[in-house]
């Protein structure tokens, strides 16, 4: 009976070790999913960065146009015409509106990019911490179960050995009694 109990406990230990291997595979799958989500967040951030670069490029084109218009204005100013004065007023208003719009677009793109980065990083950090905590709990529970099973197997084996020893002593005593008769 002692041997049978010890064999059952050994089988239980093997089963628990199998569960530990499965937990390891689950963790690898979670890590892969987390990495995939991180890559997606990075792609979004890169797309926003490209949009920001486009906004800056548009602003440069506006600046170049302004420079060209200012050159034309200088020539008109040299002629001291009333039309040149009116053109300057119109140009100033257009330059200000274009500059304000360009700066606002660049500012918004930068803010959006920062928000996406922060949200992506926070989400990744939260998921990694939760996965690590779950894995630690599972590992601790598994280790405790394996230890309990090993302890029980050792105790059963010890009891079996003691019972066997006692049986042997009794058998020897019986044989000795028979001899004495």
């Amino acid at each position: 009976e002692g041997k049978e109990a010890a064999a059952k406990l050994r089988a239980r230990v093997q089963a628990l070790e199998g569960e530990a291997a499965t937990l390891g595979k689950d963790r690898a799958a979670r890590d892969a999913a987390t990495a995939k989500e991180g890559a997606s967040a990075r792609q979004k951030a890169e797309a926003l960065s490209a949009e920001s670069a486009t906004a800056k490029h548009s602003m440069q084109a506006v600046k170049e146009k302004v420079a060209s218009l200012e050159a034309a204005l200088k020539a008109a100013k040299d002629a001291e015409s009333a039309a040149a004065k009116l053109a300057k007023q119109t140009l100033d208003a257009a330059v200000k509106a274009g500059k304000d719009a360009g700066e606002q677009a660049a500012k918004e793109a930068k803010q959006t990019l920062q928000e996406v980065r922060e949200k992506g990083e926070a989400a990744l950090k939260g998921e990694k911490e939760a996965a690590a905590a779950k894995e630690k709990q599972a590992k601790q529970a598994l280790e405790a179960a394996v230890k309990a099973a090993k302890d029980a197997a050792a105790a059963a084996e010890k009891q079996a050995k003691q019972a066997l020893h006692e049986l042997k002593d009794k058998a020897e005593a019986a044989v000795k009694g028979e001899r004495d008769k």
Side-chain angles (χ1 to χ4, degrees):
E1 283 178 12
K3 283 182 182 177
E4 194 176 320
K8 281 181 183 175
L9 285 167
R10 275 195 287 274
R12 179 68 182 138
V13 169
Q14 285 174 351
L16 286 167
E17 285 170 351
E19 284 173 26
T22 305
L23 279 172
K25 285 178 188 172
D26 289 351
R27 182 198 172 193
R30 280 198 306 275
D31 286 355
T34 303
K36 191 176 177 185
E37 284 172 16
S40 173
R42 278 196 296 277
Q43 283 174 354
K44 285 178 185 172
E46 283 165 8
L48 281 166
S49 182
E51 284 175 21
S52 176
T54 304
K56 283 180 185 172
H57 188 268
S58 300
M59 189 147 175
Q60 182 60 35
V62 169
K63 281 182 183 174
E64 285 169 5
K65 197 171 183 181
V66 166
S68 170
L69 285 167
E70 282 175 346
L73 177 66
K74 191 176 184 300
K77 204 175 183 184
D78 291 346
E80 293 180 356
S81 67
K85 191 176 182 185
L86 181 62
K88 186 180 186 306
Q89 288 172 348
T90 307
L91 174 67
D92 286 348
V95 167
K96 189 178 186 303
K99 199 173 182 182
D100 289 350
E103 283 174 357
Q104 185 62 27
K107 189 179 177 184
E108 283 173 6
K110 196 174 179 183
Q111 277 180 339
T112 307
L113 179 65
Q114 184 63 30
E115 282 169 12
V116 167
R117 276 192 189 142
E118 285 170 0
K119 283 178 185 173
E121 284 168 4
L124 281 175
K125 189 182 177 195
E127 282 183 18
K128 278 185 181 173
E129 284 173 356
K134 280 181 186 173
E135 191 187 345
K136 189 178 177 184
Q137 282 178 345
K139 196 176 177 185
Q140 283 174 346
L142 182 64
E143 282 170 357
V146 169
K147 187 181 183 299
K150 281 182 179 173
D151 290 350
E157 211 171 329
K158 190 177 176 184
Q159 283 178 351
K161 279 181 183 175
Q162 280 179 343
L164 194 65
H165 193 65
E166 283 169 13
L167 282 171
K168 195 178 174 185
D169 287 351
K170 282 177 184 174
E172 281 173 3
V175 169
K176 190 172 183 288
E178 286 293 323
R179 277 187 194 154
D180 290 346
K181 283 181 184 178

